[in-house]
Amino acid sequence: MSRSDPLMPNTLIVARREYLDRVRSRMFHVSTIVLATLAVLVAFIPIFAKAVDRGTTTRVAVYSSDPQLRATIVANLGTFLNQQHDPGRADPYALTAASSEDAARQSIDQGAADAALVGERAPTGRLDFRFYTGEGIAADRSQLINVGTFFIAILDYTSLNRRAPGQAFTFPTLETVAASGPSTGAAPLDSADFAGRRILGIVFVVLIFIILVIYGMWVAAGVVAEKTSRVMELIISAASARQLVIGKVLGIGAAGATQYVAVLVPSLLALGLENRIATALFGPGDAISPSLVALAPPLVLAYGAYFVLGFALYALIYAAAGSLVSRPEDLQVMALPLSLIAIGGYFQAVLALSGGTAGFIRFASYVPFWSPFVMMTRLTVGRVEPGELVLSYGLLVATIAVTVVIATRVYAAGVLLYGQRAGLREVVEAVRHPA
Amino acid sequence: MGSTCILRCVSLVLDGLSKRFGQVPALDGLSFEAPRGQIFGFLGANGAGKTTTMRIILGVLRADSGTIRWGGTLHDSLPRRVWGYLPEERGLYPRMTILEQLVYFAGLYGVPRDQAAREARAWLARFRVPEFADRRADELSKGNQQKVQFLAAVLHDPEVLLMDEPFTGLDPVNVALLREAFLELRDRGKTIIFSTHQMDAVEAMCESVAITDRGRVVVGGPIREVKRAAGRRMVRISIDGDHRLEWLSEVPGTRLIRPGIDRTEVELDAGVDPEAILAAAIARGAHIRHFEIADPSLEQVFIDHVGRPADEELTLATVPAEDSAA
C-alpha cells in the first residue's frame, strides 16, 4: 500500500514557487522582451508584404459559359480593377479568358494564375460568381475583385435592360472557394476572412510551438536543476511525486502564460493597428484587411484549450524526461524524441496552412501529440465538423490522464537516480511497480 | 497487552524489510526497533542499505517485502509531517533566500507561512546565524547550507527525525551545535535516527544502535548490551613515558589492539584478571596515569561484526610491494 496524498494544497505551493522562480529570473525578462519584439515584427508582416506586393500583378483566369459575359468580365473588370494605380508601375491585375471552369482552376494549380473567377447567369438573370483563390493572392486584392463583380453585374444589367426594359436589378451572388490549402473542396470562406485567418494561423502555430517546446523544456530543466543541486532529496520526502509534477507543470505553465500575455498584447495591438499604419504609409488605396477580424471568440476559446491541453501533455513528458538525467547537458538528448514529435506537428501545421495532403492532415489533427498544432490550424483556415473537434479534444484529454500516471511514476523513480541514465527496462519497471 | 507490545506500539519498528534494485539486493530482511524519544544510531559501512532504509521509511521507495510501523500504525498510513529528513545528498535552491526556502519546505508539511517564518527566524538565531534569513543559498558555505537543511528537516516539528550522515562536512563548532540541537529535540520527545561513521558521536549521544551489513542488522539494541554481548573485556591504560607497552606480551591472555600516545587499549581473553596488567605495570615501576576496565568500543564491536571499519573507504588500501616498486 502506498500513501495517497491529496493534490492540494501542496500542488499549489509547488506551483507558486516554480512561478515566482521563473518570473523573477533575468532570463525570463530578457526572453520576454526579445519574444515580444519578434511577435510585433511578425504582426507587421502584412505591412511588409504590402510594401512588396504593391509592385506585383495578380493574375485572374476568367470563365463563363456565356462567351459575351466572359468577354465583358475580362474587358471591363480589368479596366475597373486597374483604374487606380501609380503610373509607371505594371497593372495590378491581369485578366485572361479560360476555356472552361476546370481549365481556370487548373491554371491556379499550375501557377499560371493566382485566382479564377467563374460567372454564370441564372435563369432569373442574376449573375452568380464563384471565386477560386490560390495561396498567393493578397486579401485586399480578393476584396477588390469582390467589389468588381458587383460592378460587372451593374454593367450586365444596364446592357440587358437596354434590350429588355423593365427587368429589376438583382444583386449578384459570390462564393469564395479555396482552390488550394486545407479547406480545398470544403464550404467556401469569405476571401478576406480566409486571408486574415492564414496570418493568424502562422502566428498561432509559432506561438504554440514556443509554448509546447520551450516552456516544456523549462519544466525538464527545472527537474534537472533540482536533481543537480540535490534539493530533490529534500522535496521528494516532503511532497508526493504527483504533487511535484503537477505543481511544476502548473507553475511553469503559469509563468509561460504570463510571458505569453506579455508577448501577445503588443502583437495584437500591432495587428489591430496594421490597417491604419498601412493607410498612413501607402495611402487609402492600399489599406490592409485587418487580420484580427478572423479572431472570433469561439476560435479564441478553441485556441486556449489547445494551448493549455497541449502544454499539459508535453510538459508532463518533459518532466519525466528531466527526471531521468542527472546533468543538464544530457537533457537535450533525452528530450530530443519529444522535440522531434513537436517539430513534426509544427511542420504538418505549416503544411496545413499552405495546402498539404488533406487526408493525412485530417488524421494528424486527431493524434494527441499533433492535434494542438494541426487541429488548431484547421480551425483557423479550414472547416472542422463539431464531431471532429470533440474527437480531437477527447483523445487529447484521455492521453493527458494516462500521461499523468505514467509521468508521475517515471518521475518518482527517476529523481532518485544519480550518475546513471535509466535504461528502458528500469523505466518500464518504475511504471509497473511505482513506489 | 503485555509490556513488549506496549514498547513495540510506541517504537519505530522495522520488520523484515527487503529491497532489490534489479539483481542487486539492497536490504535482506532488515529488522530493528528504535524506541520513542531516544536517539538511535543506525550504523553500517557504505552500501549497507542505510539510505535505502530511510527512503523506504519516508515512502519515497517501496520495499519488496516487510513492514514499518510507528506507534503501531503502518508507515504509509501516516502523514508525511510525522517524518523529518536530512538526506545524505545535501542541496538547496541556489537562488532562493534561506527564509523563503525554509517557509516553502515547512509549507509542504502544512505549516502556515507566517508561523513557518517565525519558527525559521527563531532557529536561525539559535544557530547564531540570524543574518542568513535574507541571503541566497548559493552565498553560503557548504557547512552553513547543511545547517539550513537541518532546519528544513525540523521546522515542521516532526515526531521522528531521520538524519543521514548529519555530521559529515561540518567543522567541530558546528558538530557541537548540531549535537546540542539533537539532545534538545530528544528532550522534547522527538525520536532521532541517524546514520554516521563517527562512532564517538554515537557513543556520546545514542541510547540504542543497530549495526547493519549487506542489508541486514547484524547486532542491535541498547549500546551497553551490544557491547556486553561482544563477550570481550578491555583495559585502557596510560603510563608516563611508555606508550609501546612492549612488556604486555609477557602477560598471558592479553592483546594490544590499539596503541596510542595518550591511551592504549588492551583486550583480555575470557578468564584473564585485568588486575594482572596493573600488577605487571606496578612491578616494572611504571607511573600509571590512567587505568580503566571497560567494554569494547563501539568501533571494535562494529569491526567484529562487519569485518571492516565503518569508514574503510576513507583509508588507504595496502599496496603490494611489487606494485609500489613498479
Side-chain angles (χ1 to χ4, degrees):
Chain A
M1 193 179 91
S2 62
R3 183 187 288 125
S4 58
D5 299 283
L7 209 52
M8 299 298 168
N10 278 8
T11 301
L12 281 184
I13 293 173
V14 173
R16 181 179 183 276
R17 197 209 76 80
E18 296 292 339
Y19 177 80
L20 292 176
D21 190 52
R22 293 299 174 296
V23 299
R24 285 174 181 170
S25 73
R26 188 173 300 157
M27 189 195 82
F28 183 88
H29 299 153
V30 171
S31 62
T32 303
I33 292 168
V34 170
L35 283 173
T37 309
L38 283 175
V40 169
L41 287 176
V42 169
F44 281 137
I45 281 178
I47 296 175
F48 302 137
K50 167 62 70 180
V52 175
D53 191 45
R54 291 173 77 212
T56 61
T57 299
T58 298
R59 298 156 303 167
V60 183
V62 176
Y63 174 73
S64 173
S65 55
D66 177 349
Q68 194 182 345
L69 178 59
R70 181 171 45 188
T72 303
I73 295 171
V74 171
N76 295 313
L77 184 59
T79 308
F80 172 80
L81 294 173
N82 291 320
Q83 63 185 326
Q84 279 189 331
H85 77 280
D86 297 340
R89 278 198 194 159
D91 284 345
Y93 298 89
L95 277 66
T96 52
S99 57
S100 67
E101 183 167 346
D102 283 345
R105 290 183 59 179
Q106 279 169 13
S107 63
I108 299 173
D109 296 338
Q110 291 158 0
D114 302 306
L117 184 66
V118 176
E120 298 294 354
R121 183 176 289 107
T124 59
R126 185 188 68 200
L127 289 186
D128 294 331
F129 288 99
R130 238 181 337 275
F131 185 47
Y132 294 98
T133 58
E135 58 189 80
I137 188 163
D140 60 316
R141 295 203 173 185
S142 291
Q143 279 182 313
L144 198 56
I145 290 170
N146 292 352
V147 176
T149 58
F150 185 70
F151 167 72
I152 293 296
I154 293 173
L155 271 184
D156 187 61
Y157 168 75
T158 315
S159 141
L160 278 181
N161 201 36
R162 212 178 296 138
R163 279 178 275 157
Q167 194 172 346
F169 175 73
T170 320
F171 281 95
T173 66
L174 174 78
E175 64 172 1
T176 303
V177 181
S180 60
S183 57
T184 303
L189 279 171
D190 170 71
S191 65
D193 190 28
F194 180 71
R197 283 181 173 214
R198 285 183 63 172
I199 292 167
L200 274 181
I202 294 166
V203 170
F204 280 98
V205 164
V206 171
L207 284 178
I208 201 163
F209 183 79
I210 288 173
I211 285 171
L212 267 50
V213 176
I214 296 185
Y215 299 163
M217 279 297 276
W218 282 8
V219 174
V223 175
V224 178
E226 284 177 340
K227 278 187 79 174
T228 309
S229 71
R230 299 294 197 259
V231 73
M232 183 63 79
E233 293 274 336
L234 273 178
I235 54 174
I236 198 69
S237 55
S240 71
R242 194 167 64 115
Q243 293 168 339
L244 291 170
V245 168
I246 297 177
K248 194 171 275 290
V249 169
L250 278 180
I252 293 179
T258 303
Q259 185 172 68
Y260 184 66
V261 168
V263 170
L264 205 59
V265 167
S267 52
L268 285 178
L269 276 176
L271 283 172
L273 293 173
E274 65 185 359
N275 187 29
R276 289 184 191 179
I277 295 170
T279 308
L281 287 175
F282 309 126
D286 282 315
I288 292 177
S289 66
S291 310
L292 279 182
V293 294
L295 201 58
L299 207 55
V300 173
L301 270 180
Y303 285 167
Y306 274 119
F307 279 23
V308 171
L309 295 174
F311 174 75
L313 178 61
Y314 275 78
L316 286 168
I317 301 175
Y318 273 118
S323 74
L324 295 174
V325 299
S326 300
R327 299 179 308 169
E329 53 267 36
D330 293 336
L331 181 58
Q332 295 291 345
V333 177
M334 180 59 79
L336 187 63
L338 187 60
S339 302
L340 287 177
I341 289 172
I343 290 169
Y346 173 82
F347 279 117
Q348 286 176 81
V350 172
L351 261 180
L353 277 170
S354 57
T357 313
F360 187 72
I361 293 296
R362 194 178 292 270
F363 167 74
S365 64
Y366 307 138
V367 176
F369 290 93
W370 291 334
S371 59
F373 295 99
V374 184
M375 186 58 95
M376 205 182 71
T377 308
R378 281 189 62 199
L379 278 170
T380 312
V381 294
R383 297 283 180 175
V384 179
E385 297 300 321
E388 291 185 286
L389 207 55
V390 170
L391 178 63
S392 170
Y393 279 130
L395 287 173
L396 189 53
V397 170
T399 307
I400 290 169
V402 174
T403 306
V404 167
V405 176
I406 295 175
T408 301
R409 293 180 178 187
V410 171
Y411 178 92
V415 292
L416 298 174
L417 295 172
Y418 294 105
Q420 51 185 316
R421 193 185 294 172
L424 189 60
R425 187 181 298 174
E426 285 86 358
V427 173
V428 172
E429 185 65 17
V431 172
R432 290 181 60 200
H433 304 291
Chain B
M1 192 183 283
S3 61
T4 309
C5 179
I6 291 169
L7 181 64
R8 290 175 72 90
C9 288
V10 297
S11 304
L12 176 67
V13 181
L14 280 67
D15 189 10
L17 289 190
S18 293
K19 175 74 182 173
R20 297 180 79 88
F21 294 107
Q23 297 301 311
V24 183
L27 300 181
D28 182 18
L30 182 136
S31 304
F32 67 77
E33 288 184 29
R36 185 187 284 262
Q38 287 193 7
I39 301 179
F40 184 88
F42 188 33
L43 311 177
N46 291 340
K50 301 186 296 292
T51 300
T52 300
T53 304
M54 289 190 180
R55 284 176 171 176
I56 291 173
I57 294 172
L58 292 163
V60 173
L61 286 178
R62 182 203 286 262
D64 297 334
S65 61
T67 59
I68 300 168
R69 290 174 190 275
W70 167 244
T73 308
L74 283 171
H75 79 302
D76 46 16
S77 305
L78 294 163
R80 286 177 188 272
R81 63 174 304 159
V82 166
W83 318 102
Y85 180 48
L86 176 66
E88 182 184 12
E89 297 277 4
R90 308 282 151 66
L92 293 168
Y93 289 106
R95 291 184 313 193
M96 276 176 94
T97 68
I98 298 307
L99 188 66
E100 277 178 330
Q101 19 206 337
L102 289 174
V103 169
Y104 172 64
F105 289 123
L108 290 176
Y109 288 109
V111 183
R113 292 179 62 81
D114 52 347
Q115 182 189 336
R118 209 167 44 242
E119 301 259 341
R121 287 189 186 281
W123 269 104
L124 287 169
R126 300 194 56 211
F127 272 105
R128 298 173 194 155
V129 284
E131 69 278 12
F132 284 2
D134 300 317
R135 285 170 64 179
R136 286 169 31 149
D138 57 3
E139 295 170 357
L140 304 185
S141 69
K142 287 244 175 212
N144 284 327
Q145 287 190 30
Q146 200 165 322
K147 283 195 286 193
V148 174
Q149 284 157 348
F150 171 77
L151 299 189
V154 302
L155 211 57
H156 61 284
D157 197 28
E159 295 174 33
V160 184
L161 279 162
L162 300 163
M163 306 271 162
D164 202 352
E165 305 286 351
F167 302 115
T168 306
L170 289 181
D171 61 40
V173 174
N174 282 317
V175 167
L177 277 176
L178 204 56
R179 282 191 188 189
E180 197 184 324
F182 272 35
L183 295 173
E184 187 193 308
L185 287 166
R186 192 260 326 260
D187 293 343
R188 281 164 49 185
K190 308 300 175 195
T191 304
I192 300 168
I193 296 163
F194 77 98
S195 70
T196 184
H197 293 154
Q198 297 176 11
M199 296 298 165
D200 58 328
V202 179
E203 296 217 42
M205 298 169 63
C206 297
E207 286 98 331
S208 303
V209 294
I211 297 176
T212 58
D213 187 36
R214 295 178 177 87
R216 36 189 329 138
V217 173
V218 290
V219 63
I223 284 191
R224 183 168 294 236
E225 287 178 18
V226 167
K227 288 182 171 183
R228 294 262 162 88
R232 299 162 60 173
R233 300 186 75 193
M234 314 286 296
V235 164
R236 294 199 183 96
I237 186 168
S238 175
I239 295 174
D240 279 346
D242 179 11
H243 60 269
R244 293 176 181 271
L245 306 187
E246 288 170 344
W247 48 268
L248 262 177
S249 58
E250 296 167 11
V251 182
T254 62
R255 266 184 315 285
L256 192 152
I257 57 168
R258 183 177 292 183
I261 302 289
D262 181 40
R263 214 159 281 186
T264 299
E265 282 188 7
V266 182
E267 189 182 50
L268 309 178
D269 287 346
V272 175
D273 185 354
E275 290 186 12
I277 296 175
L278 188 61
I282 291 169
R284 289 177 180 276
H287 290 97
I288 302 167
R289 274 195 296 116
H290 180 94
F291 183 84
E292 175 191 359
I293 301 168
D295 292 323
S297 68
L298 199 58
E299 182 167 355
Q300 198 56 49
V301 175
F302 186 97
I303 293 170
D304 285 351
H305 285 93
V306 177
R308 59 191 186 279
D311 56 354
E312 185 184 61
E313 288 81 354
L314 302 177
T315 62
L316 290 173
T318 307
V319 180
E322 58 270 28
D323 287 353
S324 81

